[in-house]
Amino acid sequence: MTAQGADSGLQTDTRPFTEVAVGLVFDAQGRVLMGQRPAGKAYAGWWEFPGGKIEARETVDAALARELEEELGIRIAASFPWVLREHSYEHARVRLHFRRVFKFSGQPEGREGQAFAWCNARAIEVEPLLPAALPLLPWLALPRTLVLEEFRSNPAVRVLKACDLDSEGPLSSETRLVVRCSSAEDVSRAQAAHQVDAILLEPDAGCLASSLLERVSAPAYIHESQVARFLASFAQTSPLPEVHQLAQGVWREA
């Protein structure tokens, strides 16, 4: 993992990683599901995105599906990679594989006696939150469309117009730290050098997008010219996927 996706203290921690699958489960209103850690566990009473340890020879998506059913009684048909983070706690050094879930069956229930809550994804109010979850909060508020208006010299600061795919106009104009990447090497260099808000995958990176999404440490956007190609690459595992499920959204130049 690169420096960008690592939290403080991690570089001096030599303990082996515990691999963890974490779910951002959204309901039809766009709210995200939060769970409170039960008594008897480290950080009892703190709030987190649900999930759990990945067992030996278990894939990330299978682990997340199992954990969500065991902990909350919901069944998911698919989950989609979002970001990868690493964090050092007093009790463990963890690598967190965050995946997003948009469809599920059943009603959540605290099968381990834990509380849970549906929260506005852009203004999560439950607290305290686990430290590893805090860096994700600004990313949850990112829009579905980024428009590149101006390029400045390195570091890769651009002035972007932020829009929702469903809206008729821009939500805001602001400066974000983003990086345009056309290869896995570009992504690695960007994450090591900058605290980026988003990764913009160049048109030439279309064939790499699906593999890159499994290891990026910031939300990734697909260039609008590559949307059809990108969706087609997921068609076998996810019938009729949508861009905002598989990536943060799309980007284009003004």
Side-chain angles (χ1 to χ4, degrees), residues 61-214:
D61 55 339
L64 181 59
R66 174 182 53 77
E67 288 285 347
L68 291 177
E69 184 168 9
E70 291 176 356
E71 290 185 10
L72 294 166
I74 60 175
R75 294 184 179 183
I76 63 173
S79 63
F80 305 101
W82 191 45
V83 297
L84 184 67
R85 298 286 301 181
E86 294 174 357
H87 190 84
S88 284
Y89 286 108
E90 298 88 343
H91 64 284
R93 182 189 188 205
V94 294
R95 181 181 288 121
L96 304 163
H97 302 255
F98 289 92
R99 298 178 71 88
R100 296 186 295 178
V101 175
F102 297 92
K103 294 181 181 180
F104 60 90
S105 60
Q107 294 297 320
E109 56 178 315
R111 290 188 168 183
E112 297 179 346
Q114 77 275 34
F116 63 89
W118 289 105
C119 299
N120 181 339
R122 297 188 175 187
I124 292 177
E125 296 180 350
V126 295
E127 57 181 18
L129 288 178
L130 281 186
L134 293 175
L136 277 68
L137 300 187
W139 292 343
L140 283 171
L142 286 174
R144 295 185 184 181
T145 304
L146 292 181
V147 182
L148 180 61
E149 292 191 316
E150 179 183 340
F151 171 73
R152 297 179 181 175
S153 59
N154 282 336
V157 178
R158 276 84 171 180
V159 178
L160 297 172
K161 185 181 297 181
C163 315
D164 249 318
L165 291 179
D166 300 327
S167 69
E168 295 182 356
L171 298 177
S172 63
S173 293
E174 55 190 293
T175 299
R176 295 186 185 275
L177 183 59
V178 300
V179 180
R180 293 171 65 165
C181 298
S182 59
S183 68
E185 291 74 21
D186 285 349
V187 172
S188 295
R189 284 194 294 268
Q191 294 180 153
H194 306 299
Q195 183 69 28
V196 300
D197 291 317
I199 291 172
L200 309 185
L201 296 174
E202 296 274 20
D204 291 343
C207 61
L208 301 171
S210 58
S211 61
L212 287 176
L213 289 181
E214 296 286 352

